């Protein structure tokens, strides 16, 4: 009896979308600011990881 290695990997569980109907305009604006902040954080992490990959590739190409 074998097993699939994919079963051992964590799966991404999609989050439920926030119900925007009950939020005020101010709350919606705050929500957008928080999302934009998170997007910036994610983009910064991507750049950091890309720099790490580039450095590793440059090192191993020598």
């Amino acid at each position: 009896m074998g097993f699939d290695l994919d079963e051992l990997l964590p799966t991404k569980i999609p989050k439920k979308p926030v119900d925007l109907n009950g939020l005020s305009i101010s709350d919606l604006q705050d929500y957008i600011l928080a999302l934009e902040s998170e997007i910036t954080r994610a983009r910064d992490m991507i750049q950091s990881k890309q720099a790490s990959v580039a450095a590793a590739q440059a090192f191993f190409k020598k």
Side-chain angles (χ1 to χ4, degrees):
M1 179 174 151
F3 62 92
D4 186 2
L5 290 177
D6 289 338
E7 292 176 4
L8 300 176
L9 298 174
T11 58
K12 293 182 182 178
I13 300 172
K15 294 182 180 181
K16 280 184 156 182
V18 174
D19 181 13
L20 302 177
N21 290 320
L23 298 178
S24 68
I25 292 172
S26 176
D27 289 342
L28 288 168
Q29 290 170 333
D30 290 343
Y31 181 62
I32 290 170
L33 288 174
L35 290 174
E36 288 172 341
S37 175
E38 189 65 10
I39 290 168
T40 299
R41 193 172 77 90
R43 286 185 174 144
D44 290 345
M45 182 58 65
I46 289 169
Q47 287 179 340
S48 174
K49 289 184 179 213
Q50 287 173 333
S52 296
V53 168
Q57 288 174 339
F59 177 79
F60 287 108
K61 284 185 180 179
K62 290 183 180 183

